[in-house]
Amino acid sequence: FEDPDNSLLECDPKNMAEDSTSSGTKTEWTNTCQSSDGSLKIKEKSCATLDEFVIYIQDFGARIQNTLNRIDVAVEEAGPAMTNTIRTSVNTTILAPMQEIVDGVTCGFMASFYREVVDGLCYQGVVGFARIGNSYQWCGGLALVMILISYAVWRRTVDNLNAAAKARKAGEGKGEQEAE
């Protein structure tokens, strides 16, 4: 990262440490690489040799450990205050309005809704299923009528074709006899 005090220098979280001189409820840290507003500026790291790069990579464990230690301390310090704030917010904005709704609800509406459900599912449903059954019967009857009509038309057409073929054959036979 970029050093917040001097943009030409690098800042490494590996060097971050708890400030032993700080007093109060909040722990202070040194070499955090953060500017006064809490932001970090990334700076490209350049290693001149392979050995520098290897050492840089090997030190990542210390960087990660320092960062996680700082997070752990921050959670310990801010945890109780955050828990109380969140609990209060949940109680006032979610639980209290829900409790008001629950307190105002009685079961008086259940009887009429139950009667409507029974009426709808049992009585009206039976009538609806009976009508659907009647519709299927009508469709079956009409389909049978259509089948009979289609068969009659087909039969008539086949008989006409057969008669025409027979007449053509008979006409060819007479024509051959007259030619002889």
Side-chain angles (χ1 to χ4, degrees):
F1 295 102
E2 183 178 291
D3 189 325
D5 299 325
N6 186 348
S7 62
L8 298 175
L9 299 176
E10 292 179 355
C11 180
D12 195 342
K14 175 182 76 167
N15 302 324
M16 181 172 47
E18 195 173 332
D19 188 359
S20 59
T21 62
S22 67
S23 62
T25 58
K26 187 176 178 189
T27 304
E28 298 293 326
W29 294 83
T30 59
N31 298 321
T32 63
C33 304
Q34 290 179 307
S35 60
S36 59
D37 65 355
S39 65
L40 297 168
K41 291 186 181 175
I42 296 175
K43 184 172 186 170
E44 188 174 311
K45 174 72 176 167
S46 60
C47 297
T49 65
L50 179 60
D51 291 335
E52 281 181 29
F53 179 72
V54 169
I55 292 170
Y56 180 73
I57 296 299
Q58 286 174 344
D59 288 341
F60 257 94
R63 290 180 186 90
I64 293 171
Q65 188 62 46
N66 284 347
T67 304
L68 292 178
N69 285 343
R70 183 169 181 201
I71 291 172
D72 289 341
V73 169
V75 167
E76 286 177 17
E77 290 175 352
M82 286 176 54
T83 301
N84 291 336
T85 304
I86 291 171
R87 182 171 285 125
T88 303
S89 295
V90 167
N91 284 338
T92 57
T93 59
I94 297 173
L95 297 179
M98 284 177 59
Q99 189 63 42
E100 287 179 30
I101 292 170
V102 169
D103 289 342
V105 172
T106 62
C107 293
F109 69 94
M110 291 293 284
S112 64
F113 279 132
Y114 179 73
R115 273 187 245 112
E116 289 176 17
V117 167
V118 169
D119 184 44
L121 293 177
C122 296
Y123 302 119
Q124 293 175 7
V126 169
V127 171
F129 284 128
R131 286 185 179 171
I132 290 172
N134 289 337
S135 297
Y136 278 125
Q137 287 176 346
W138 276 100
C139 286
L142 292 174
L144 184 61
V145 169
M146 289 299 297
I147 289 170
L148 293 174
I149 292 171
S150 296
Y151 177 75
V153 170
W154 175 79
R155 183 78 255 165
R156 173 96 184 212
T157 304
V158 168
D159 289 346
N160 286 344
L161 284 174
N162 289 341
K166 197 175 192 183
R168 205 175 318 121
K169 231 182 193 181
E172 289 176 5
K174 281 185 183 179
E176 289 177 7
Q177 288 175 356
E178 289 176 6
E180 290 180 1

